[in-house]
Structure formats: C-alpha cells, structure tokens
C-alpha cells in the first residue's frame, strides 16, 4: 500500500517536471501575469477615481484612486487564480489529442500520476504568476496592514483555490475534443471574479446580479483574502471558501478520472 502510494507520488513529480519543461517552450505564465495586470492598471488608473468614491460600506476608507487600489487588488489576485484553469485544460487536451496519453498507458506508471502531474506543474506556474502580480501591485502603491501570518494565510488560501481550479481545468482538458475548445471552456470561470465583490461592492449591483454575486464562490474567496490582508470581518467567508474549494476540487478530480478511464477504453 505504502509502496503503491510512493510510486504514485514519484510518478506525479516526474510528470509535473515534464509539464514544467514543456512550459519553458510554451510560457503560459506570461498570459497568467499579463491578464490580471492589464485589468489592474485599467481599473485603477482609468476607473479608479470614480469607483473609489463609491467604496463606503466595503470596510475600507473611501476616496479616489489610491483607496480603490487597496480595494481591488484582492479581486485582481482572484482573477489571476481563476485564469489558472486554462493552463491545465490546454496541456491535458494537447496530450489527449497528440497521442502521448496512449503512450503513457503502455508504460508502467500510475494513471493518477498523469493527471496529477498536470495539476502540480500548472499549480507551480500559477502561484509564481500570482506572486509576480502581487509584486506589481506593491510597486504601484498597494499596501496591506497584514502581518506575516496574514500574508501566509493569504498565500495559503490562494494556493487552495488554485489547486481546485487546476483540477477543474484538468477535467475540462479531458472532456474537450481539441485544444481550441479546451481553451474556451474555462472562460465562464474567468468572468466570475468580475461578477463578485472583487471590483465593486455587491451592494452597488442590481438586485438580480447582487443575489448571484453573493452566492457564487468568488465573493467568499475575495472577502477571505481581503480579511486576511486588511483585517475586515471574515464572518462565514472562510468556511465558505474551504467548502467551495473542497467541492470544486472533488468534482474536478472525479470528473477528470471518470472521463480519463472512459476514454481509455474508447480510444
């Protein structure tokens, strides 16, 4: 039992190393950095003055571009993490359509390791991209009063969310019929941070959108990160974040394994 688990972990690390080497040739990490940075600069320097004036009630001081920068950075970080589903979707779909998966099935390696390697490799890239986005935010003036534990908690929560997004992306990649469709399937997920509390308070939204914003997962994700960085009330958002992450990761893992095994008997 222990030997089987050890072999699975070893095979998964080997597959993740293959994924990282592949990323050097096709650096998706540039996309994971560019998208949230463009949104950060656009919302802060084009819309920040107006949006910052409507912040009362969000738990942060109101007024102008500087205040809006402090408010929007957690939402931008979640936008970066949401984009993490795209990488594993594309890489898994490439493997499924280019025949390398059929080769792996003839080798003495754990089947779980093939998909797990994609998750680990893409998770590393995604967290590196998120750290770069945090660095850029700090360079343009973002300051959070969190102590070391607050920052460690923030990184931990973002890693947990990214892990769930990666498993969902792997499931998309196995499900897709080609790379083009695999790259499009995660698009609805990338819109969710914009429809939550990441960029404007949900109180300012129309009633029907406010209901959706308050119940979709990226609002508790954003509020949990905001609470860790700024000390705003976390209330139930921490527990909701853990529940959503566990649910998304389990659904992604079960869906991916089901489709992977099903396609293994119908090549």
């Amino acid at each position: 039992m222990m030997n089987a688990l050890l072999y699975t972990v070893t095979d998964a690390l080997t597959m993740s190393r293959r994924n990282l080497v592949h990323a050097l040739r096709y650096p998706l990490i540039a996309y994971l950095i560019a998208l949230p940075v463009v949104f950060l600069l656009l919302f802060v320097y084009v819309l920040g003055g107006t949006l910052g004036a409507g912040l009362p009630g969000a738990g942060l001081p109101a007024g102008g571009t500087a205040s809006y920068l402090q408010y929007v950075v957690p939402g931008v970080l979640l936008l970066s993490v949401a984009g993490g589903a795209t990488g594993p979707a594309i890489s898994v779909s490439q493997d499924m359509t280019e025949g390398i998966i059929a080769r792996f099935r003839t080798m003495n390696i754990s089947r779980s390791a093939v998909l797990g390697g994609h998750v680990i490799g893409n998770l590393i890239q995604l967290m590196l991209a998120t750290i770069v986005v945090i660095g850029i935010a700090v360079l343009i003036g973002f300051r959070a009063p969190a102590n070391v534990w607050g920052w460690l908690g923030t990184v931990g929560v973002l890693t947990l969310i990214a892990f769930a997004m990666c498993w969902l992306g792997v499931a998309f990649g196995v499900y897709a019929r080609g790379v083009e469709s695999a790259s499009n399937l995660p698009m609805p997920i990338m819109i969710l941070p914009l429809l939550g509390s990441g960029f404007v308070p949900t109180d300012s939204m129309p009633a029907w959108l406010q209901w959706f914003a308050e119940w979709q997962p990226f609002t508790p994700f954003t509020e949990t990160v905001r609470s860790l960085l700024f000390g705003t009330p976390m209330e139930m958002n921490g527990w909701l974040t853990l529940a959503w992450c566990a649910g998304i990761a389990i659904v992604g893992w079960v869906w991916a394994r089901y489709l992977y095994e099903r396609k293994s008997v119908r090549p």
Side-chain angles (χ1 to χ4, degrees), residues 79 82 186-196 216 218:
L79 184 66
M187 290 299 292
I189 297 176
M190 297 177 63
I191 297 174
L192 289 179
L194 299 170
L195 302 179
Q216 60 116 331
F218 277 86

Side-chain angles (χ1 to χ4, degrees), residues 23-234:
L24 294 176
R25 298 181 180 179
Y26 305 97
L28 185 67
I29 191 172
Y31 163 79
L32 296 175
I33 295 172
L35 179 67
V37 168
V38 168
F39 271 83
L40 175 65
L41 299 178
L42 174 66
F43 272 83
V44 171
Y45 291 114
V46 178
L47 305 173
T50 301
L51 294 175
L55 283 181
L60 293 168
T65 300
S67 294
Y68 186 69
L69 173 62
Q70 312 307 314
Y71 178 83
V72 79
V73 166
V76 171
L77 296 178
L78 266 301
L79 184 66
S80 177
V81 173
T86 304
I90 293 175
S91 58
V92 170
S93 180
Q94 284 177 329
D95 282 355
M96 296 295 293
T97 56
E98 293 178 355
I100 190 65
I101 291 294
R103 174 61 178 146
F104 287 151
R105 285 170 181 152
T106 66
M107 300 171 66
N108 185 24
I109 58 176
S110 168
R111 291 194 171 190
S112 299
V114 176
L115 300 181
H118 280 285
V119 170
I120 296 172
N122 282 281
L123 181 62
I124 293 173
Q125 295 182 68
L126 182 54
M127 295 315 299
L128 289 175
T130 303
I131 291 172
V132 173
V133 173
I134 292 174
I136 293 174
V138 170
L139 284 177
I140 66 174
F142 175 71
R143 298 291 184 272
N147 56 22
V148 174
W149 295 111
W151 278 103
L152 289 177
T154 299
V155 173
V157 168
L158 291 174
T159 304
L160 193 62
I161 300 169
F163 178 77
M165 291 297 114
C166 284
W167 267 117
L168 193 59
V170 166
F172 285 150
V174 182
Y175 172 79
R177 292 182 179 275
V179 176
E180 291 81 5
S181 60
S183 63
N184 291 329
L185 286 174
M187 290 299 292
I189 297 176
M190 297 177 63
I191 297 174
L192 289 179
L194 299 170
L195 302 179
S197 64
F199 290 81
V200 295
T202 56
D203 295 344
S204 65
M205 298 178 178
W208 63 271
L209 183 56
Q210 183 179 341
W211 180 89
F212 175 78
E214 291 177 350
W215 286 100
Q216 60 116 331
F218 277 86
T219 291
F221 290 171
T222 304
E223 292 307 316
T224 300
V225 172
R226 190 168 283 143
S227 298
L228 291 168
L229 290 176
F230 292 97
T232 54
M234 187 175 294

